[in-house]
Amino acid sequence: MVQGETFHQEGLPKLPVPSLQQTCERYLATLEPIVDEEELSHTKELLAEFQKAGGVGERLQKGLERRARKTENWLSDWWLTTAYLDYRMPVVVHSSPGVVLPRLEFSDRQGQMRFAAKLIAGVLDFKTMIDNETLPVEYLGGKQLCMNQYYQVLSSCRVPGLKRDSVVNHAHRSRPPTHITVVHNFQFFVLDVYNSDGTPLTVDQLYMQLEKVWSSSLQTNKEPIGILTSNQRNSWGKAYNNLIKDKTNKDSVRAIQKSIFTVCLDAPMPCVSDELYHSRAAVQMLHGGGSRWNSGNRWFDKTLQFIIGEDGSCGLMYEHAPAEGPPIVSLIDHVVEYTKKSEMVRTPMVPLPMPQKLRFNITPEIKKDIEKAKQNMNIMVHDLDVKVIVFSHFGKNVPKTHKMSPDAFIQMGLQLAYYRMYQRCCATYESASLRMFKLGRTDTIRSCSIDSANFVKAMDDPAKQKIEKVTLLEKAVKAHRAYTDMAIHGQAIDRHLLGLKLQAIEDLTSMPEIFMDTSYAVANHYNLSTSQVPAKTDCVMCFGPVAPDGYGVCYNPMAEHINFAVSAFNSCNETNATHMAQRLEEALLDMRMLLESTPKAKL
C-alpha cells in the first residue's frame, strides 16, 4: 500500500447530481405502496408542474449542479447541518447509536481495569495507523472508498449552541491532544496516554493509572455534571453558556472536548437473566439506564465513549455527527482483536504523574439544570423499549445458498413482519454508504417498494401458489439489490430531493408545492428506520426510532446467526419492540421454509 494513500484520495469521484426526471419517476414509484390513489394522482400533477421546461424544478436543478461544480461534495455540509447540527432533540436515543460488545467475565474490578487498559492500548494502536496515514484503504466492488471519516472520530466533540451545534476536531492542530478522559462515579479525569518521548503508555502503565483514577473517585454522591449533555439541545446550549462562564468549568469542559476519546468505568447495572442480558446492555450503551445508574457517567457530546461495566458489560456509544457506523466498527474490530493478544512484556515502572481530576464549580443555577436534565433523562429511559435478539437459526449462509443478497433477504423479512403486524406497508429507511465519493456520507435505500408490497401481500394469501410466492420474493430481493446499487452510486432520490428543497431555501424562493404535499410527509415518516452494520466482532449496534410511532432496527448478519436490535417507544400503544422482534424471527423462518419447500422453478 502506498504510504499516505488514505488521506490523499485525489482519485475519488465527486458526488453526482442525478437527473431531475429520473428522481421524479423514482419518487413516484416509491410512493405507490405507501400513499392512497387520490394522494398519488395529486402528487403526479405537482411533479408534472415541477418538471415543466423552464420551471421551478429546472431552475433548482441548475442551482444544485452549479453547487456541485463549486464544492468538493454538494451534499456533505448541508447534510451535517440539517441531519445533525440543526437537530434539537437530545443526542441520546434520538441520534447517538450504541454498540454492545460480547460480554466479559470479570471476577472483580481488577478485571475491569485490566480490560480497560488493553482497550485503551488497542485504540491508541489504531490511532497510530490514522496518524501515520497507513490505514489500508477500503474498497467496495473494486472501487476505493473515502477514508475521511476515520480522521473525524478521535479528538473531536460536539459543542452545543442555542440554535445550532458545531463539532470541534483537535486532531489536526499543530499540537494534537495526548490525553483521554476517564469517568468513574460521575467524576472526570484527564489521563495522559503518551510518554514524554511520544510513545504510548503500555497496558501495565495504563492499568496503574486507571487504579489511581478508581481509588480517587470512590465517593458516589457527586453531582452528575455529564447528564447536562443529555438534554434537549437548546436547553443544553443555554446551560452550557452558563456553565463555562466560570473559568474552572470552562477549562474542565475544554479538557473533555479535546481528549482523544472517553472511557466510562460504569457501576454494575441491575441483574437480569442471561436471555435479557443483551437488551439490558443495549440500554446501558444507549443511555446508561437513568440518573440512578450510569446516565451521569457520560459526556454525550463526545464522539467516542467506550463503556466498561464492573459486571462485564462492555460496549461504546458514539455521537453521530462526524461519522457513520462502518468506520466505528472497523475500529472496534481492531480493538477487540488487540485485547485478545496475550499480555505484553512487563514495563519498567517509571513513576507516572497522578491523573488530574477535573473540577466543576456548581452554582444553584447549574444544580437546577442538572435536576431538570435528570428528570428528562429518566422520562427518556422509561419511554425507550429495546429488544436485542440473537437469531440463531441461520445467518448469511441461507440467503446465499438461494443466490440472494443477505441484506435484501433480511429487509424483506422486516417488510413481511411489519405487514403482518399492521396490514399495511410503511416508508422504510435503510442507510446506504456514499463513500465511493469524496466526503460521501449516506443516502436512503427505500426498502418498501412495489415489489416488496406484492411479495408481503401474497405471502399469507391462501389463494396463491407457493411457486408464485417464491417468484415474488426473488423479484423483491432483486429490486432491493438494484435500489442498493443505485444508492451507493449516488443515484437514489432522497438526498437529491433534500438538495432541491435546500436550494429553494437558499435561493429565497417560495417552497415548491411538492415539498408541501402530504405524500412528501408520508414518504419521510419512517415507521421503519433500519441499518445493516456488519462486523467481524459478534456485536450489535442499536439506535432509537426516528418516528414516535416507529421502530429502529439494526442488525449484524454473521455467517450462521444474525444479531438484531429492535427499538420502539413505550409511549406509543401501537408499537412493541418484543412483538416486532418475534414477528421478524417468524418472517425469516417462514421465508426459509418457503424457499426450501418449493421445487426450484425454471425461471
Side-chain angles (χ1 to χ4, degrees), residues 35 39 42-43 514 516-523:
V35 303
E39 279 171 1
H42 177 61
T43 304
I514 59 162
M516 318 286 273
D517 179 28
T518 317
S519 295
Y520 189 69
V522 173

Side-chain angles (χ1 to χ4, degrees), residues 39-59:
E39 279 171 1
L40 195 65
S41 67
H42 177 61
T43 304
K44 271 183 190 158
E45 287 169 24
L46 295 182
L47 283 167
E49 180 63 30
F50 185 67
Q51 288 180 86
K52 268 191 185 151
V56 182
E58 203 173 278
R59 197 186 68 242

Side-chain angles (χ1 to χ4, degrees), residues 16 62 115 127 163 174 188 190-191 220 278 280 283 304 335 355 384 387 399 429 433 451 488 548 560 562:
K62 285 207 164 75
F115 181 78
K127 180 178 182 289
K163 294 215 169 102
S174 53
F188 288 84
V190 161
L191 171 51
T220 52
H278 283 103
R280 194 221 66 189
V283 301
L304 262 188
V335 170
L384 188 71
K387 181 74 181 164
Y429 183 113
S433 173
D451 294 304
I488 62 176
E560 294 182 8
I562 307 167

Side-chain angles (χ1 to χ4, degrees), residues 209-221:
Q209 294 299 75
L210 290 170
E211 277 289 340
K212 291 179 195 169
V213 164
W214 195 87
S215 50
S216 47
S217 52
L218 296 174
Q219 320 86 314
T220 52
N221 59 350

Side-chain angles (χ1 to χ4, degrees), residues 117 464 490:
K464 294 270 193 283

